[in-house]
Amino acid sequence: MSVEAKSIVENVEFVKRKKRKKSVIEKKENWVGFLFVSPMFIGVSVLTLLPIIATFFLAFADWNFIMGIQSVKWVGLDNFKALFANEVFIKSVLNNLLFLLTVPICMAISLLISIVIDKHVYMKSYFKVAFFMPYISSIVAIAVVWQVLFNPTEGPINQFLFSLGIENPPKWIADPNFALISLMVIQIWASTGFNMLIYLAGLQSIPKELYEAADMDGATRWDKFKHIMLPALSPTTFFLLITGIISTFKVFDLIAVLTKGGPINSTTMLVWHLYDSAFVNLKIGYASAIAVVLFFFVLFITLVQWSLQKKWVNY
């Protein structure tokens, strides 16, 4: 073998050894990386993925978990038929749809407050903290405070209405006609601070040059709001719209502390109806069917928003 051929063979062997060594190092790095993420991966799998799969399975079964896994009985679509024949379920869906109104109302109030703080208020940090405090406070503590405020006889709200000469003010959470409205007021009050902070960050990211150019063109405040501020805030609005709608379908704490679905199921919503069916009446299959319907509700609304966002969201 010539010297040149021998040199080529040695180079090929060297490259092969280097690739094998690199492959071994990469495998070791992959295993180390997997070990680091494995606690989170196992936790998500056990606490999230497996329950989701089990929910979809149990939605087509009848099961009382107190009697053990051997009592699972396949019933097909019976749970879903029972759902749509149940007046309480229909009522909970309608209540959830009405509760969705809190999202645009809260966003409008938050946008107004953020504009006022950004343009016309000193000590911005103080007002940021003041408005954000309800959002980070315990929802149970918030519910207890509003329970006192909404007291039909001794509450400050009705005492104020009495002072105005209103003899029969609403009983708020004790009145089937006002209980859901009362929860909506609390939800708006508690969520305004978070939305306000997000909008405030969006306002401060708008280039000032756009406003200066609009001033040179003689634009009014409404023109700047309509043609500069709203388009620039559309990604922020889209984010708050999706997260707000999803959060309205998860309302549970307020109902559990204040009304427990009453009076006369006027505040029963899907998550509360699910909880009541699963852990009070022990209808796991029926409750799983509610969870599946809730999943598809949220999925459908989110997909509709994603499909429509191309028409009004400016990135």
Side-chain angles (χ1 to χ4, degrees):
M1 182 181 294
S2 64
V3 177
E4 293 181 358
K6 187 176 181 180
S7 177
I8 292 172
V9 171
E10 289 177 351
N11 288 336
V12 170
E13 290 295 329
F14 174 76
V15 171
K16 288 182 178 179
R17 288 196 300 270
K18 190 174 181 180
K19 286 184 177 180
R20 285 196 296 266
K21 185 177 180 181
K22 185 178 180 181
S23 177
V24 171
I25 294 174
E26 288 179 348
K27 288 181 179 179
K28 289 182 179 179
E29 289 178 347
N30 290 338
W31 276 108
V32 171
F34 180 76
L35 288 176
F36 274 111
V37 302
S38 59
M40 179 63 71
F41 178 76
I42 294 172
V44 170
S45 299
V46 173
L47 300 177
T48 304
L49 296 180
L50 289 180
I52 290 175
I53 296 172
T55 297
F56 277 88
F57 170 76
L58 291 172
F60 300 95
D62 182 24
W63 182 41
N64 186 329
F65 64 86
I66 294 179
M67 300 176 65
I69 195 69
Q70 68 275 6
S71 64
V72 175
K73 180 183 177 182
W74 185 263
V75 295
L77 297 174
D78 288 355
N79 288 325
F80 294 95
K81 293 177 182 178
L83 270 185
F84 294 102
N86 190 336
E87 293 182 359
V88 177
F89 172 76
I90 302 299
K91 182 69 174 177
S92 66
V93 173
L94 294 176
N95 288 341
N96 252 127
L97 294 178
L98 286 174
F99 206 78
L100 286 175
L101 293 175
T102 60
V103 178
I105 296 173
C106 182
M107 291 171 61
I109 296 173
S110 302
L111 179 59
L112 177 62
I113 294 174
S114 62
I115 293 173
V116 172
I117 291 177
D118 185 51
K119 302 294 184 183
H120 308 288
V121 170
Y122 294 100
M123 297 176 62
K124 291 180 174 60
S125 299
Y126 167 77
F127 286 97
K128 289 179 184 178
V129 174
F131 279 102
F132 193 63
M133 282 300 294
Y135 184 79
I136 61 176
S137 301
S138 168
I139 196 67
V140 176
I142 290 173
V144 171
V145 170
W146 279 93
Q147 190 174 34
V148 174
L149 293 175
F150 280 138
N151 188 286
T153 55
E154 303 297 332
I157 294 177
N158 276 6
Q159 286 294 320
F160 174 72
L161 295 178
F162 284 135
S163 68
L164 295 178
I166 300 176
E167 297 181 358
N168 296 308
K171 295 181 180 179
W172 303 112
I173 58 176
D175 187 340
N177 296 319
F178 285 91
L180 184 61
I181 296 175
S182 303
L183 293 186
M184 293 170 70
V185 169
I186 299 172
Q187 178 73 9
I188 292 170
W189 179 81
S191 303
T192 296
F194 172 77
N195 289 1
M196 181 271 296
L197 272 185
I198 301 299
Y199 268 131
L200 197 57
L203 286 172
Q204 293 174 351
S205 67
I206 300 176
K208 295 182 179 179
E209 292 80 2
L210 296 177
Y211 294 112
E212 294 172 356
D215 289 332
M216 294 177 64
D217 292 336
T220 63
R221 290 185 177 181
W222 172 251
D223 291 330
K224 288 187 283 187
F225 175 77
K226 182 179 179 181
H227 299 291
I228 296 177
M229 189 177 295
L230 285 183
L233 290 176
S234 58
T236 305
T237 301
F238 179 62
F239 166 76
L240 293 176
L241 188 63
I242 287 185
T243 55
I245 288 176
I246 292 175
S247 66
T248 59
F249 279 99
K250 300 191 299 180
V251 174
F252 175 81
D253 308 54
L254 283 177
I255 301 172
V257 176
L258 291 175
T259 64
K260 293 181 171 54
I264 319 175
N265 294 318
S266 59
T267 58
T268 295
M269 294 189 220
L270 286 171
V271 174
W272 176 259
H273 186 40
L274 187 156
Y275 166 81
D276 189 59
S277 301
F279 301 106
V280 177
N281 299 321
L282 303 179
K283 297 179 179 178
I284 301 301
Y286 179 86
S288 298
I290 298 175
V292 171
V293 171
L294 177 61
F295 168 80
F296 282 109
F297 269 152
V298 176
L299 178 63
F300 173 75
I301 293 174
T302 304
L303 291 177
V304 169
Q305 292 180 81
W306 274 104
S307 62
L308 296 178
Q309 56 107 6
K310 297 178 183 178
K311 298 181 179 180
W312 63 277
V313 179
N314 302 294
Y315 289 106

